[in-house]
Amino acid sequence: MLSIPTNRTQPRVPQLRTSLPGPRARALIERDRVVSSPSYTRSYPLAAARGEGCMVEDVDGNVFLDFTAGIAVTATGHAHPQVVQAIQNQAANLLHISGTDFYYEPMVKLAENLAVRAPFPESGDGRARVCFTNSGAESIEGAIKLARYYTKRSRIVSFQGGFHGRTYGAMSLTGSKIVQRQGFGPLLPGVTHIPYGTHASLDYLEEKLFSSVLPPEEVAAIVLEPIQGEGGYIVPSDGFLERIRQICSRHGILMIVDEIQSGMGRTGKLFPIEHWGMMPDIITLAKGIASGLPLGAILSRPELMTWPPGSHAATFGGNPVACAAANVTLELLQAELIDNAHQMGEVLQAGLTELAQRFDQVSLPRGKGLMMAIDLIDADGNLDPDLRNRIVDGAFYKGLLLVGCGKAAIRFCPPLIINSDQIQVALEILTELFEGK
């Protein structure tokens, strides 16, 4: 059974004390409105004050059940005491010294912990090399640079529906929403987008593009999410990933797997590509790696990461405090949270399947582990983003935090410490909403 820390002070189910948003939340939101960038996306007025486990308390004392995990980030739950203790201990000793220029134990230890677990074969130079970053987008930027440097090629294939970040290289690979690209051109040249997840798409790549406008010997990398995140939690067709591996091997192209949202145990495997028994060339990580502290990583087969000193680094990448949090996060994931993600994923999938069988507006669930989604559909069977938005907003007013993805999907990505009782609470709230209560 999953061992949950016992020093909990918040309830483990929603508890609403005021109307929403409460007076303190309204005041904070008004202050934010004056000074913050309008580019932020806030779908409902949550003004968080503290988190504990799977619960988030707002500034007015309302307690919510969190099925977002800070967008798949707080893998070990909010303020896991072992993670907090590691952060406090490290902060008292060394906040920063810059791993780009000096050495320190937490960074080396984390690189070792990731390298030994990476799904690459053992070689004379070890299993993997690791370059630390501050975010998912920064991991993608570094992966692009590494692929171009190693292959001496410039072209990249990416996928429609994929999301890789909002910095220029990452944005150029992204094919999720038009607002993420519109008005920011020119973007990184040499990127070709194709549909995701089907063999017809790969037929088009091999039979049409490779023979007309995209010479494969000029392609440095194919970049993909093994399960698309922002695009809708889309799981590819059987054999799709294996075929990409074959295409890459045939043409000397690097296979870059973006596991920023899907990685770190969320799918019931530490690295989701392991579900397919695949060996990529480069893996990008972030989000759940440090339980909420800003950290990302680029993992590659050791023979690929040959760029010289000074060619790539980040001042804060691999910060000692973030690395300390990540080392404990990895320990907790390996000890029990990856298994819990698998087990609770089955519970969630069963519950969402029952929901789909009961309500015509709900599709069957898709995903793996605690990376699950449903689409909402109208009476004609079309995707219904307005209904999705109403359900997500309505859940907030009943004490459940959800976020959307894709065109009309609700994603379920709770902390990996979630239990079956809390899943049942979430399903009951959704049931009430679909019943119109």
Side-chain angles (χ1 to χ4, degrees), residues 269-288:
K269 299 282 189 182
L270 183 61
F271 300 97
I273 197 68
E274 294 177 297
H275 286 286
W276 290 271
M278 297 294 302
M279 186 194 76
D281 298 298
I282 298 172
I283 298 173
T284 59
L285 299 172
K287 287 192 181 290

Side-chain angles (χ1 to χ4, degrees), residues 196-261:
Y196 176 80
T198 69
H199 287 280
S201 173
L202 299 184
D203 289 342
Y204 178 70
L205 175 66
E206 290 195 280
E207 297 171 11
K208 300 295 184 181
L209 295 182
F210 278 177
S211 63
S212 58
V213 296
L214 186 64
E217 60 271 17
E218 294 183 5
V219 177
I222 297 178
V223 183
L224 71 148
E225 299 164 274
I227 302 175
Q228 280 196 343
E230 300 295 316
Y233 280 27
I234 305 298
V235 181
S237 301
D238 291 344
F240 178 81
L241 296 175
E242 292 88 342
R243 190 170 164 191
I244 289 178
R245 177 67 274 174
Q246 294 167 3
I247 292 170
C248 288
S249 297
R250 187 180 309 126
H251 297 288
I253 299 168
L254 298 184
M255 182 179 181
I256 299 178
V257 177
D258 176 344
E259 299 191 353
I260 291 161
Q261 184 162 175

Side-chain angles (χ1 to χ4, degrees), residues 77-93:
H78 296 283
H80 192 290
Q82 289 176 244
V83 175
V84 171
Q85 188 64 57
I87 291 169
Q88 291 174 335
N89 291 345
Q90 183 58 49
N93 288 303

Side-chain angles (χ1 to χ4, degrees), residues 140-162:
I140 290 291
E141 296 286 347
I144 294 171
K145 287 178 63 177
L146 180 58
R148 285 181 161 180
Y149 178 84
Y150 178 79
T151 64
K152 310 306 180 188
R153 303 175 179 184
S154 63
R155 308 289 286 273
I156 297 171
V157 175
S158 189
F159 290 89
Q160 295 167 7

Side-chain angles (χ1 to χ4, degrees), residues 41 67-68 70-72 163 166 176-177 180 228-233 261 266 287 348 352 366 370-375 388 392 401-406 408-414 430:
T41 54
F67 263 63
T68 75
I71 320 301
F163 180 84
R166 294 181 177 90
S176 178
K177 296 180 177 69
Q180 295 159 352
Q228 280 196 343
E230 300 295 316
Y233 280 27
Q261 184 162 175
R266 176 150 298 281
K287 287 192 181 290
L348 178 60
L352 292 174
R366 59 178 176 267
L370 289 174
M371 185 178 185
M372 200 72 58
I374 54 173
D375 282 322
R388 185 270 310 277
V392 169
L401 304 182
L402 297 169
V403 288
C405 63
I410 298 174
R411 74 180 104 180
F412 299 86
C413 51
L430 286 169

